[in-house]
Amino acid sequence: MLGDTDRTPLALHVLDLHALLSDAGLEVRTIALAPGASGGLDQAVPVLGPTSRSAATRLQLGREQRWADVVVCVGPASAAVQRRSPGHRRVASVVLCTSGPVGRRECRALAAADMVLHDGCEPPVPGAVEVFTATEDGDGVLASDELAATWGGLLAAAADAAGSRSGS
């Protein structure tokens, strides 16, 4: 789940991850909470609502989560929206956290996630798994091809953590 449809290096990596997981036989749907300022991915990624924090967006996100086993939120702000959507407790959540300051609301969302994958986001999240490396311009990139091959295991671990949390 992207925050918006802006064409960024991280968003492009998410689309690469989508293709990788689809090729591995998993059912994947990549969505954006809202349209982006500059766009670029409007044709490739469906938008849930007019703004990332609108009631319509949260309601549609709740509908999207009904069939999902795991939701991967790109950034703590997206995780905060996911945490406030209907049905968020029924699905495992993984947060991809890139470098940058994280506010109080986002910290609560990170703490509630089943798994946090980061590149050194501040403040650090206890138990987070570091999976990104920073490029010279500060954009997050996947650390290696081997990492991409482990996504199925990471998502399964998040689903197991959610199952343990809910007692099922």
Side-chain angles (χ1 to χ4, degrees):
M1 175 177 62
L2 299 169
D4 57 47
T5 57
D6 286 342
R7 186 181 191 91
T8 64
L10 183 56
L12 294 174
H13 287 299
V14 169
L15 293 179
D16 289 345
L17 173 61
H18 177 118
L20 175 80
L21 295 173
S22 292
D23 291 347
L26 298 173
E27 188 174 344
V28 182
R29 180 160 161 83
T30 299
I31 56 174
L33 293 173
S38 61
L41 300 177
D42 303 82
Q43 300 299 317
V45 181
V47 174
L48 297 185
T51 67
S52 62
R53 295 176 188 237
S54 73
T57 299
R58 288 195 312 268
L59 184 62
Q60 185 60 31
L61 180 56
R63 290 181 186 130
E64 291 284 338
Q65 292 179 112
R66 285 185 189 153
W67 69 269
D69 294 319
V70 178
V71 173
V72 179
C73 304
V74 179
S78 294
V81 172
Q82 189 263 344
R83 186 170 177 249
R84 291 189 313 270
S85 68
H88 75 277
R89 285 189 166 82
R90 289 178 293 211
V91 63
S93 61
V94 176
V95 182
L96 298 178
C97 183
T98 59
S99 293
V102 177
R104 194 172 319 146
R105 180 182 300 154
E106 289 85 4
C107 281
R108 285 193 299 269
L110 292 175
D114 297 299
M115 183 176 290
V116 177
L117 309 174
H118 75 100
D119 74 340
C121 60
E122 297 295 330
V125 179
V129 179
E130 186 162 357
V131 297
F132 287 90
T133 58
T135 60
E136 291 177 2
D137 60 1
D139 294 322
V141 296
L142 289 177
S144 68
D145 291 338
E146 293 79 26
L147 170 68
T150 67
W151 267 96
L154 290 172
L155 297 178
D160 287 346
S164 298
R165 180 186 72 225
S166 67
S168 54

